[in-house]
Every structure is written in C-alpha cells, then in structure tokens.
Amino acid sequence: MHLRAPAIVVAVRQHGEHGAIVRALTRNDGVQPGYVRGGRSRQMRPVLQPANLVQGEWRARTGEQLASLTVELVHSRAALHGEPLAAAALEWVTALTATALPEAQAYPRVHDALSGTLDAIEAAPSARGWAAALVRYELLLLAELGFGLDLDRCVASGGTEDLDFVSPRSGAAVGRGAAFGYEAKLLRLPAFARTGGEASWDDIFDGLRLTEHFLARDILVDRRVETLAARERLVDRLKRAVA
C-alpha cells in the first residue's frame, strides 16, 4: 500500500513514547490512519494539529497493517487553537469527522465541505461568519452517511410552504399548520438550513439543536459522551460570546 495525497488532519493520538497515530481525511481515499514516527516531538507537534492541511505519504506492506505516515505541512491553522471560540469549533468539527466517517471510503463532498468550513472559521474567528456553515456541514454529513433529513415538503400535508419544524422521529419537515398544538414536541427548522442565506443567532442555535439530535441518535450512538463533549463546549462558548 502506497498513497500520497493532500489531507486534512482530523485526529491525533499519542502512541508509545515518541510516536503518534494520525487520522487524516483525503478527498479521494477517505480517512486514512498512519503512524508518524517522532510525532510527539517539538518539531512535529505544530504540524500534527487537527484542521491542518498536510501532504501525507502512507506506506504499508499489507492492507491490514497500520501504515507508516510521513507528513509535510501545507497550510497551518495552529494559531486558531489559541483562540478559545475558534479552537472549540476546530475541535468539534474534526472530532465529528474522525468519529463519524469509516476509514478508506471516499467522501469527496464531505472533504470539500469540511475544507470550506475550516476556511470560514479561519476567516472569521468571531463565529458570525462560520456558525451557519457548521450547521450546513453537519446536515451534509448526515446525508452522506445515509441519515439525511427530508426537508423539502411537509410529512403530514405534502406542502412546501412554511416548513418551520422537523419531526424528531422521522427527520422530516413539518409545516406550520400541521405543527399547530405540537410545536413543543418538534424541532425548529431555520430557513437557512434549507435554502442558505442569512441566519440570526436564534436561527443558528435552532440549527445546532436540530443537527445535534440526529447526530447523537444516528451517528454518535456508541461514542456519544466523548465526542459530544466537544460540541457542548462549543455551544457553551457560542452562547457566552453572543450573550
């Protein structure tokens, strides 16, 4: 096995006294794990930061063997880890990607969306410019993994207007009229989650509650506590930032 490709670092775990096991998302070969010799060294730690773009080269004698990985830094986002809000966003979005995606399966749309989300975080660490993009990334990830929400028409009436809610059971949109009297049992559906465009902070938090429900139920079932803790830290910091 020999693969050379640009990749986004999504997870780093210490291994032994000096090495690290790194998982990185490539566009055409999916998440690829590898052992980086000296990955805990002072020289390599800034390179092996989640969200960094690297040029990776994986080598292994067999497909079952953990590959040896060498990396060259292409673009660093390490400075963002010093910004509490941006750091929380990077921690969550990379942890979600590393946890949710199976290894060695190509998800080019996920790769491109993750790259765009990371670029948005880098361009606007204040969160106003990236929080909505994060929600849309989570919706895309759900869809790509087979758990997409049906947001095109009301599950009860078939209508396409005033789709303000989502059923927490079916993941289907519910129109305002059909939802009357049951609003408390449904999840809010902000318009930007369907059609893009501007989003208020109320819309963003509604979107985060919406995606969190289905991520926790359908994708992070066995890894909920560890991975969703990163999301809780992010949402808490977002709330404090806009208070």
Side-chain angles (χ1 to χ4, degrees):
M1 178 267 199
H2 181 208
L3 171 66
R4 181 173 172 82
I8 301 167
V9 176
V10 293
V12 180
R13 178 167 57 87
Q14 295 181 357
H15 185 77
E17 293 186 9
H18 306 291
I21 294 176
V22 176
R23 303 181 75 223
L25 178 62
T26 68
R27 191 176 194 278
N28 297 321
D29 296 277
V31 173
Q32 293 288 336
Y35 174 74
V36 178
R37 187 182 300 275
R40 295 175 61 185
S41 68
R42 182 177 300 178
Q43 179 181 2
M44 290 303 300
R45 280 200 300 268
V47 176
L48 300 179
Q49 288 281 344
N52 278 358
L53 178 63
V54 299
Q55 181 73 23
E57 187 165 7
W58 292 260
R59 292 180 181 271
R61 292 183 178 180
T62 68
E64 293 74 28
Q65 181 185 32
L66 178 65
S68 173
L69 171 61
T70 58
V71 298
E72 299 173 13
L73 182 64
V74 175
H75 179 68
S76 175
R77 296 186 174 98
L80 292 177
H81 290 277
E83 300 284 342
L85 190 53
L90 297 184
E91 180 189 14
W92 159 246
V93 76
T94 54
L96 170 63
T97 305
T99 303
L101 294 184
E103 292 180 358
Q105 294 188 27
Y107 289 94
R109 293 183 66 205
V110 172
H111 173 277
D112 294 349
L114 175 61
S115 180
T117 303
L118 295 174
D119 286 345
I121 295 170
E122 188 173 14
S126 65
R128 185 72 189 190
W130 55 258
L134 177 62
V135 174
R136 289 192 288 267
Y137 174 71
E138 294 173 346
L139 288 168
L140 174 66
L141 188 66
L142 284 162
E144 289 287 298
L145 292 174
F147 301 102
L149 308 188
D150 181 4
L151 306 180
D152 293 332
R153 60 186 65 252
C154 175
V155 67
S157 68
T160 59
E161 301 295 326
D162 300 322
L163 301 177
D164 292 344
F165 299 91
V166 174
S167 165
R169 289 188 178 183
S170 68
V174 181
R176 189 184 308 159
F180 183 75
Y182 298 93
E183 293 91 343
K185 297 182 179 181
L186 301 171
L187 297 164
R188 289 282 305 176
L189 173 60
F192 82 90
R194 292 185 58 245
T195 59
E198 295 294 323
S200 69
W201 281 114
D202 285 343
D203 290 336
I204 289 167
F205 286 118
D206 284 341
L208 289 169
R209 281 188 288 270
L210 173 67
T211 52
E212 180 177 3
H213 173 80
F214 294 101
L215 288 169
R217 189 191 73 177
D218 297 327
I219 292 179
L220 302 176
V221 178
D222 298 326
R223 299 149 287 188
R224 183 176 306 182
V225 175
E226 180 180 354
T227 306
L228 284 178
R231 185 190 179 84
E232 291 172 4
R233 288 191 290 272
L234 170 59
V235 173
D236 180 64
R237 286 179 178 173
L238 280 172
K239 289 179 177 178
R240 283 186 279 146
V242 303

